[in-house]
Structures are given as structure tokens and as C-alpha cells.
């Protein structure tokens, strides 16, 4: 079963709620399933009912067997009690069983005793049992005695069976909501899918004493890697933290809420806001900018707006880098120095190297994640099925931990040996790419091109694809056969981040390969990814085209996966800061700014005269020597005493209290007095 740790499960739901489909999906991975049909055949003339039954039969795989109990409702308890520990039963549904139980043909009978026997059989069953039942207690009380008898009997049955089952889930409009978890699974419970530290899973560090138990299995969870922030040199001023609880809030009820994580194809995860993104881009055209705008970086604003759910997105204040280290053995790692990935991981933990320095400059946290090592894909599967399930859940938990810590943006990085070849194999399997066309050249430590190593990698991918040519191409099969541990963990990270509405920056082969795989598990995941640059890698270009991700830049940096995204992060933040803080242009309705530099001077009131402008006429002189006549001045008719001359082209000042001045153009003579010149 896909639900970890639960032996018996009751699925409730209304009419057409999707309860039967959900129950069928829970047992889809069981080797054999016995379908227990409880409903009577019905009226032969009721074609609609016959159509419903035919639809149910058509959905069942050919490997399933069917057993009917409509002739004797008491036999259902016997069927469940007799089932062995290696069997899986799907009972659909208890509504039909109650209908047969109330049939007059089976009366008189002690219906309460029959329900008690059924509950006891479920409680003691060694088999895996999933029971489907309609939830009719939310509707109006029926108006007929027969209707009331049915709802009462079904309600009592549901309560008794729910009490006997390990878990109970209510399906509403196709969305499961888990109502009852068990404290701990019993010994006969469904074998839990291996998680980190469990049997069949990749070796992980032993959890410390007192570690919190896994919600699904009751076993101690493996502790997640430590998160640290490399110290910048010198330390820049910390960016202001902006609280945004909505970015890290749970968005939907998934099966993992109470019963352990269920990762399966067709998951319904949230999508970014369809309206906020276009509104934010349209708003950019109204901002007060001197040029044509942000150009291609408008897409950053649209992406941030859609993922934040607002037309005025804020710059990402809290960023975390997840550095995945998972080596691939065999020809995929040709040309790689042994132990190089471990050295890079130690370097990152110590705050050295390109990735750690860029993280420090951006104020981002760094978490080094040890992914399961992968076997040579040309010889056999890279991972077992249990290891794939474990890696997917582990990646999801990493994203959950980041969201719970308030992280607003994740950056996927990788440093494992052979990751390029593994990603090329995934692209070839999921997109039909030719391995030599998507596998980048091998560069040695001396900066030389190693064509021999490149050919070995191509041969390993070719042989792996030939080996798996008849294998299924489902997401988990591709991860097990070709992808390996780091791509599986990265896929879990993308799915978990999508469920928690946290955007992710990807820029390398592991990130885009995980995007290709996650597309088949939840198509919504790719809409939460942003590709700042393809780094000149052909595989990244192809995957970006398939995923519909257009690179923002073409820097062609090759500093390791994740470094390009971190190098562009300051630019992306600056763009978001401009978009959030620039005002609207005044011509488009924005508020005009006060301009004091060119303010009109206030007119002078009574009192001392204002400062005279250049070329102004001199003030009248008091008693004393006459003022010097300016050059080219035309003399005025002299009165008694020394006369002054009037400068040509002089603009008079407004007169205050005192002698009246005369405009030069009027040339009106005023009687002179001693010590006063004529105006």
C-alpha cells in the first residue's frame, strides 16, 4: 500500500467525491488485490446503476480478483478474518453492504451483532484492508422511514468500523483529509516504505537519542542536515527581514499530514496565482523610470508576483541553498577525480569555495545534503524501489523544514560525481534526447577537454538506455533505473516546495532532471521553478525548453551547479526592489513631487528693499559726493548741485516708502534738491 504504517483504513466520502478512486490508488502498488463487492445486482431495467457498476469494473486492473458478498452480508466478516498477512482487500462499499443487511430477505436478524462481528474481524485482521463507505450523515434527515433506517444503520456501521480501523480519511471533492492516525503501527501493519535509516534504505547517520519518531512508522527519523550561513568577508549589512507567513503556510491537506508521505503520479499540488503575475507586469509600465523599463527581467517580477500572490512582490529576504552530494558509480563518473565531491562538500561546510562565498555575499543559508550513492546504471538499477521512496520523502522533508523556518526561496545545487551523465540519461528517457547532444564536455582540473572520458560517459548512458528499453518510463522507475539518489532527493525537494508554495531556483543538470521527473508526479511543480541561466550546458537548454522555462540571462558561468543562480540573486533582488518601491509616473496618475529648486520668490512687503538684481539701478545717494557715472551713460539735465547719470538698460526696483522713482522710458524730470540726484 502507498500509505505507510497502516494495516486497516476506512475511506469516507460523499456521492461522486472520488472516494473509490482514492481507495484504489492506495492499493495500486500491491502485488495482488482482492476486490470485495458488496452491492446487490440491482434492477435489470436500471441502466444507470448498471453503468455505474460497469465503470467500477473497468477501472480494476486485470490482476485483481473479485469476490461478492451480496448474497450473505454476514460473510464479509468471515472474508476479512480469513485473509492472510500477504493479502490486500479492497471492500467497496459499506453502503451497499448495509442495503443488503436491511433487506427483508435477510430479516429477522440482529443487525447490531452483525456490525460488531465486522468491526471485530477488521480489528483482528492480519491482511491489509481498505474499506470504502458513503458519508450520509451530513445531509438532511430523510423523510421516509426506510430512508431514516438506512442512514441510522450506515452511521452506526461507519462509527464502529472507524473505531476498529488504524486510519480514517474523508474525501471531499477529490481531496483527502485524514481524520484518524494511529499512535503506532502494529506488527502486522503494511511494511513501511524504507526511509533514511530504515532497512533497504541508503545508509544514513544514526539518529541521536531522543529524535522525534516518524509519523508513519514510529521509528526515529533521521535528522536533517545542519543549516548554516557562511560568514561574508567583509560582512555586508543584513537585508531587512520581511515577514510573510503566507509564503510558508501549508496550502492543502495531503496524505502525508497524518499518515506518512504519499508520493504518487497525479498529485494535485497548488499553482501560482494566475492573476497576480500579469498584473505585476502590467504595473511596471506605469512606473516612473527614465528608460524603457526592466526588459527581460520583467519575467522575474511576474514570477515573484505569482508565487507570492501579490501584484507588488517583495525581494526574497530569506534564501536557503541545498547542496546535494550523491555520487554515481561506473562510467557516469569517468574523468572525475576520486573524492572530489566529498572535498567540495567539506569546503562548503567550512564556508570556502565559490558556492559558499556567493551564499555569504547573498546572506543565504547553506545546507549540505548527503544523498544516497548510485550504482552503475549501465549494469543495473541505480537505486532500489525502497531507496527511491526514501529519497523522495527525504527531499520533501527538506523543503518542509525550509518552509517551516520561513525560507522564501530555495536554490538547488549539486556536487556529486557523474551527475551530468545521470541527468542526460533521465533527459533521454523522459524527453527522447540523444545522449551525446545533451551531455556536456568533460573538463579536467587543468582546464583541458577530456574526450576519452566524455565518450565513456556517453557509452554508459547508451548502455543504460539499452538495458531499460523495455522497462516502464514512470517517474519512480526512471529514478530507480537511471536517475539515482541526488536526482531523487531533488525531485522530492521540488514537490515539497510546490506543496508549501516556496519558489526554487535551478540552474544545472540535477535541477532540470528533477524538474522533468516531477512533471510526471505533479505537473504544477515546474511552475514554481525559475531558471536564471542555462550556464552554457546543452542538457539544461533542452530540459528548459521542454519544461517551458526560459533562461533570464546568458552569463555562461561554470562555477558548479547552484553558483550561477546565486551569482544572479543580487540582480533579481534589485529588480524586485525597484518594482516594489518606484512610484507611478505623474503623467499616469502618480503624485507630483515638490520642487523647491525653482520656486517663485515671494513678493517683498514693506520694509527694507529686496536684494537688487544684476544691472539694477543704484539706490539714491545720501548727502555726500556724487556717484560715479557708468560708462556709456546718457547724462540727464542737471539741476542745482552735482547730478548723477542713469545707467542704460537698467531695470528699476519697486519703490518702498521714500522718494518716488520714475521709469526710465518716461524721462520725467523731478526738481533736484541738494545732495539728491535726478531720476
Amino acid at each position: 500500500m502507498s500509505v505507510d504504517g497502516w494495516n486497516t483504513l476506512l475511506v469516507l466520502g460523499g456521492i461522486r467525491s472520488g472516494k473509490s478512486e482514492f481507495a484504489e490508488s492506495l492499493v495500486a502498488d500491491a502485488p495482488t488485490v482482492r476486490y470485495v463487492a458488496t452491492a446487490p445486482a440491482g434492477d435489470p431495467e436500471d441502466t444507470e446503476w448498471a453503468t455505474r457498476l460497469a465503470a467500477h469494473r473497468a477501472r480494476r486492473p486485470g490482476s485483481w480478483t473479485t469476490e461478492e458478498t451480496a448474497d450473505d452480508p454476514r460473510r464479509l466478516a468471515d472474508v476479512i478474518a480469513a485473509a492472510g498477512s500477504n493479502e490486500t482487500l479492497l471492500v467497496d462499499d459499506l453502503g451497499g453492504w448495509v442495503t443488503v443487511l436491511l433487506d427483508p430477505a435477510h430479516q429477522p436478524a440482529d443487525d447490531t451483532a452483525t456490525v460488531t462481528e465486522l468491526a471485530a474481524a477488521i480489528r483482528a485482521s492480519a491482511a491489509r484492508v481498505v474499506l470504502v463507505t458513503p458519508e450520509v450523515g451530513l445531509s438532511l434527515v430523510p423523510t421516509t422511514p426506510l430512508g431514516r433506517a438506512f442512514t441510522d444503520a450506515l452511521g452506526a456501521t461507519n462509527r464502529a468500523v472507524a473505531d476498529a480501523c488504524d486510519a480514517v480519511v474523508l474525501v471531499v471533492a477529490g481531496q483527502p483529509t485524514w481524520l484518524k492516525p494511529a499512535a503506532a503501527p502494529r506488527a502486522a501493519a503494511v511494511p513501511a516504505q524504507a526511509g533514511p535509516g530504515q532497512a533497504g534504505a541508503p545508509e544514513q547517520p544514526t539518529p541521536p537519542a531522543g529524535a522525534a519518531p516518524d509519523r508513519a512508522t514510529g521509528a526515529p527519523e533521521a535528522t536533517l542536515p545542519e543549516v548554516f550561513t557562511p560568514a561574508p568577508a567583509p560582512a555586508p549589512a543584513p537585508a531587512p527581514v520581511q515577514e510573510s507567513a503566507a509564503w510558508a503556510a501549508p496550502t492543502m491537506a495531503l496524505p502525508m499530514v497524518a499518515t506518512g508521505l504519499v508520493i504518487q503520479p497525479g498529485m494535485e499540488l497548488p499553482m501560482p496565482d494566475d492573476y497576480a503575475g500579469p498584473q505585476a507586469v502590467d504595473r511596471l509600465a506605469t512606473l516612473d523610470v527614465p528608460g524603457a523599463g526592466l526588459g527581460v527581467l520583467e519575467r522575474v517580477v511576474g514570477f515573484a508576483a505569482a508565487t507570492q500572490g501579490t501584484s507588488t512582490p517583495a525581494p526574497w529576504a530569506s534564501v536557503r541553498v541545498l547542496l546535494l552530494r550523491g555520487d554515481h558509480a561506473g562510467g557516469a563518473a569517468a574523468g572525475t577525480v576520486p573524492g572530489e565531491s566529498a572535498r567540495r562538500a567539506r569546503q562548503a561546510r567550512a564556508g570556502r569555495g565559490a558556492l559558499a562565498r556567493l551564499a555569504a555575499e547573498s546572506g543565504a543559508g547553506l545546507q549540505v545534503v548527503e544523498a544516497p550513492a548510485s550504482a552503475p546504471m549501465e549494469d543495473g538499477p541505480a537505486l532500489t524501489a525502497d531507496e527511491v521512496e526514501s529519497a523522495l520523502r527525504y527531499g520533501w522533508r527538506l523543503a518542509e523544514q525550509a518552509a517551516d523556518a520561513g525560507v522564501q526561496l530555495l536554490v538547488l545545487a549539486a556536487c556529486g560525481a557523474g551527475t551530468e551523465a545521470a541527468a542526460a540519461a533521465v533527459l533521454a528517457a523522459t524527453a527522447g534526447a540523444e545522449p551525446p547532444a545533451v551531455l556536456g564536455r568533460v573538463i579536467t582540473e587543468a582546464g583541458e577537454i577530456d574526450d576519452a572520458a566524455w565518450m565513456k560517459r556517453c557509452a554508459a548512458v547508451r548502455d543504460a538506455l539499452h538495458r531499460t528499453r523495455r522497462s516502464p518510463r514512470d517517474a519512480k522507475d526512471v529514478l530507480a533505473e537511471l536517475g539515482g539518489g541526488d536526482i531523487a532527493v531533488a525531485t522530492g525537494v521540488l514537490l515539497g516546495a510546490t506543496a508549501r508554495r516556496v519558489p526554487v531556483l535551478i540552474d544545472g543538470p540535477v535541477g532540470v532532471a528533477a524538474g522533468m521527473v516531477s512533471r510526471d508526479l505533479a505537473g504544477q511543480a515546474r511552475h514554481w521553478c525559475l531558471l536564471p541561466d542555462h550556464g552554457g550546458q546543452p542538457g539544461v537548454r533542452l530540459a528548459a525548453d521542454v519544461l517551458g522555462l526560459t533562461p533570464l540571462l546568458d552569463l555562461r558561468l561554470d562555477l558548479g551547479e547552484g553558483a550561477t543562480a546565486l551569482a544572479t540573486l543580487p540582480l533579481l533582488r534589485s529588480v524586485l526592489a525597484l518594482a516594489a518601491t518606484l512610484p507611478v509616473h505623474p503623467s499616469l496618475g502618480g503624485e507630483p513631487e515638490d520642487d523647491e529648486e525653482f520656486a517663485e520668490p515671494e513678493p517683498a512687503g514693506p520694509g527694507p528693499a529686496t536684494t537688487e538684481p544684476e544691472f539694477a539701478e543704484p539706490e539714491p545717494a545720501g548727502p555726500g559726493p556724487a556717484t560715479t557715472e557708468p560708462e556709456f551713460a546718457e547724462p540727464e539735465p542737471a539741476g542745482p548741485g552735482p547730478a548723477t547719470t542713469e545707467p542704460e538698460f537698467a531695470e528699476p526696483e519697486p519703490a518702498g516708502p521714500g522718494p518716488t522713482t520714475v521709469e526710465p522710458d518716461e524721462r520725467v524730470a523731478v526738481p533736484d534738491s541738494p545732495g539728491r540726484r535726478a531720476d
Side-chain angles (χ1 to χ4, degrees):
M1 285 174 61
S2 297
V3 180
D4 291 348
W6 309 113
N7 195 49
T8 53
L9 177 68
L10 177 65
V11 180
L12 298 127
I15 299 172
R16 296 298 190 186
S17 63
K19 59 184 182 298
S20 294
E21 290 90 338
F22 178 75
E24 292 165 6
S25 69
L26 296 179
V27 299
D29 58 352
T32 59
V33 176
R34 188 172 9 152
Y35 187 95
V36 182
T38 62
D43 188 352
E45 297 181 359
D46 190 347
T47 57
E48 192 273 338
W49 181 252
T51 302
R52 286 180 179 239
L53 295 181
H56 274 258
R57 295 190 187 99
R59 286 202 308 264
R60 303 172 201 164
S63 60
W64 291 12
T65 59
T66 302
E67 184 166 350
E68 297 185 359
T69 62
D71 294 338
D72 182 6
R74 296 172 184 82
R75 199 166 67 86
L76 178 59
D78 297 335
V79 171
I80 294 175
S85 59
N86 61 338
E87 292 188 81
T88 299
L89 303 183
L90 175 57
V91 181
D92 194 0
D93 67 4
L94 295 182
W97 182 78
V98 170
T99 300
V100 176
L101 185 64
L102 298 179
D103 193 316
H106 300 99
Q107 298 296 331
D110 188 349
D111 298 337
T112 303
T114 304
V115 172
T116 302
E117 292 174 2
L118 175 62
I122 294 171
R123 189 174 285 107
S125 176
R128 297 170 288 180
V129 182
V130 176
L131 303 102
V132 181
T133 184
E135 175 52 67
V136 297
L138 302 178
S139 62
L140 298 175
V141 177
T143 58
T144 63
L146 183 60
R148 289 192 294 271
F150 174 77
T151 54
D152 290 347
L154 182 59
T157 301
N158 287 347
R159 290 179 60 181
V161 173
D163 182 69
C165 285
D166 298 331
V168 180
V169 61
L170 173 65
V171 179
V172 180
Q175 304 302 311
T177 301
W178 293 83
L179 306 179
K180 176 190 174 183
R186 303 198 310 270
V190 179
Q193 296 167 349
Q198 294 176 289
E203 293 186 16
Q204 299 287 343
T206 303
D214 186 278
R215 291 171 297 188
T217 64
E221 282 187 339
T223 55
L224 295 176
E226 179 185 0
V227 181
F228 60 94
T229 302
V241 177
Q242 301 180 6
E243 297 295 335
S244 181
W247 293 0
T251 58
M252 63 184 300
L254 290 171
M256 50 80 59
V257 170
T259 66
L261 187 56
V262 179
I263 297 180
Q264 58 190 7
M267 300 172 67
E268 290 295 332
L269 300 181
M271 283 283 291
D273 194 316
D274 289 337
Y275 300 100
Q279 287 174 354
V281 174
D282 292 342
R283 179 180 171 274
L284 295 178
T286 68
L287 299 184
D288 188 6
V289 294
L294 299 176
V296 297
L297 295 179
E298 288 183 350
R299 295 201 302 269
V300 180
V301 180
F303 173 81
T307 53
Q308 295 179 23
T310 174
S311 60
T312 55
W316 300 294
S318 178
V319 180
R320 180 174 295 181
V321 183
L322 298 179
L323 176 59
L324 309 182
R325 176 190 170 252
D327 290 342
H328 297 256
T336 304
V337 178
E340 178 67 10
S341 65
R343 186 182 72 86
R344 293 293 182 189
R346 291 193 302 269
Q347 188 182 59
R349 290 189 182 97
R352 300 189 303 270
L355 189 72
R357 301 316 310 156
L358 288 171
E361 294 300 324
S362 300
L366 180 59
Q367 191 172 17
V368 181
V369 180
E370 296 292 337
S374 305
M377 59 181 170
E378 62 268 34
D379 299 334
L383 296 176
T384 65
D386 288 341
E387 287 174 333
V388 170
E389 294 288 351
S390 172
L392 288 172
R393 290 200 308 272
Y394 194 62
W396 188 300
R397 287 177 54 206
L398 290 168
E400 272 196 320
Q401 182 197 47
D404 291 339
V407 172
Q408 300 165 356
L409 179 71
L410 286 173
V411 179
L412 267 184
C415 66
T419 56
E420 297 86 354
V426 171
L427 295 180
T430 56
E434 289 293 333
V438 295
L439 193 55
R441 308 298 291 270
V442 179
I443 308 298
T444 66
E445 291 181 320
E448 299 176 348
I449 297 177
D450 189 344
D451 286 334
W454 179 80
M455 287 187 287
K456 290 180 181 178
R457 295 185 183 185
C458 290
V461 176
R462 178 203 61 198
D463 294 345
L465 293 174
H466 180 75
R467 178 182 61 79
T468 62
R469 64 190 182 280
R470 293 187 177 89
S471 300
R473 288 293 189 248
D474 295 336
K476 293 182 181 180
D477 295 316
V478 170
L479 291 175
E481 296 289 347
L482 307 170
D486 49 358
I487 297 179
V489 172
T491 302
V493 169
L494 294 185
L495 295 173
T498 300
R500 298 299 297 272
R501 297 183 178 272
V502 179
V504 184
L505 295 187
I506 58 177
D507 68 351
V510 170
V512 296
M516 295 293 294
V517 176
S518 65
R519 179 189 59 167
D520 296 332
L521 294 171
Q524 302 85 1
R526 66 185 181 90
H527 296 281
W528 294 87
C529 297
L530 183 66
L531 181 66
D533 193 358
H534 53 66
Q537 303 181 63
V540 177
R541 288 177 177 173
L542 171 69
D545 185 59
V546 175
L547 294 172
L549 303 177
T550 303
L552 297 172
L553 307 169
D554 189 10
L555 300 178
R556 296 179 181 271
L557 291 178
D558 192 8
L559 302 174
E561 184 164 357
T564 299
L566 283 176
T568 61
L569 184 57
L571 175 62
L572 305 185
R573 280 173 163 168
S574 299
V575 168
L576 294 179
L578 282 176
T581 58
L582 284 178
V584 175
H585 196 279
S587 65
L588 299 176
E591 295 183 2
E593 297 179 358
D594 294 335
D595 194 349
E596 298 181 356
E597 184 178 354
F598 300 101
E600 187 72 20
E602 294 291 331
T610 57
T611 304
E612 295 180 3
E614 192 176 359
F615 305 113
E617 184 177 1
E619 288 293 327
T627 58
T628 305
E629 294 181 5
E631 191 176 359
F632 304 114
E634 183 177 353
E636 287 289 330
T644 59
T645 58
E646 185 176 343
E648 191 175 357
F649 307 114
E651 184 73 19
E653 281 294 314
T660 304
T661 58
V662 181
E663 296 291 336
D665 295 341
E666 296 179 0
R667 306 289 183 182
V668 178
V670 179
D672 294 335
S673 61
R676 185 180 299 276
R677 67 178 176 85
D679 289 332

